Amino acid sequence: MTVFSQLSRTLLALALSLPALAMAGDVIVISHSSLNMPAGDIRDAYIGEKQIEGGTKLVIFDNAALQKDFLDKVVQVDSAKYSSIWTKKGFREGLNPPAVKATDAEVIAAVKSTPGAVGYVSKAPADVKVVKKF
């Protein structure tokens, strides 16, 4: 095998791995400034097990752009299982799944304007409360 051939294979392998590397970024859970949510309660809030924090009803937002990473890193389920959890919660307890926002900007705007709100973004601005970075 020539040096050129080895280099070509190495570059091809690197190029194929770049999309996966680009997708795996930080997931930062944020909350409304008035909410004091412990980081240990994030998963429970996102699967409907925790609905109130400090007397405030939680309002949970999903971020469509980061949902796969969030589910993998934080909730530790795939999207099919997550949907199943919320379908069961809807039938059994009458709960609605988290509202889905399309972008970080939409999640940030919703969290800032909604008391009890929790969401996740890739980069948090200075004017929101960071609950935990994953």
Side-chain angles (χ1 to χ4, degrees), residues 65-83:
L66 293 176
Q67 189 177 48
K68 183 183 179 330
D69 283 346
F70 177 78
L71 293 177
D72 289 346
K73 291 179 179 182
V74 182
V75 184
Q76 299 175 341
V77 299
D78 62 21
S79 61
K81 177 68 176 174
Y82 187 62
S83 293

Side-chain angles (χ1 to χ4, degrees), residues 95-117:
L95 297 177
N96 293 319
V100 179
K101 301 297 181 184
T103 64
D104 280 4
E106 288 181 18
V107 172
I108 292 165
V111 167
K112 282 183 182 179
S113 65
T114 309

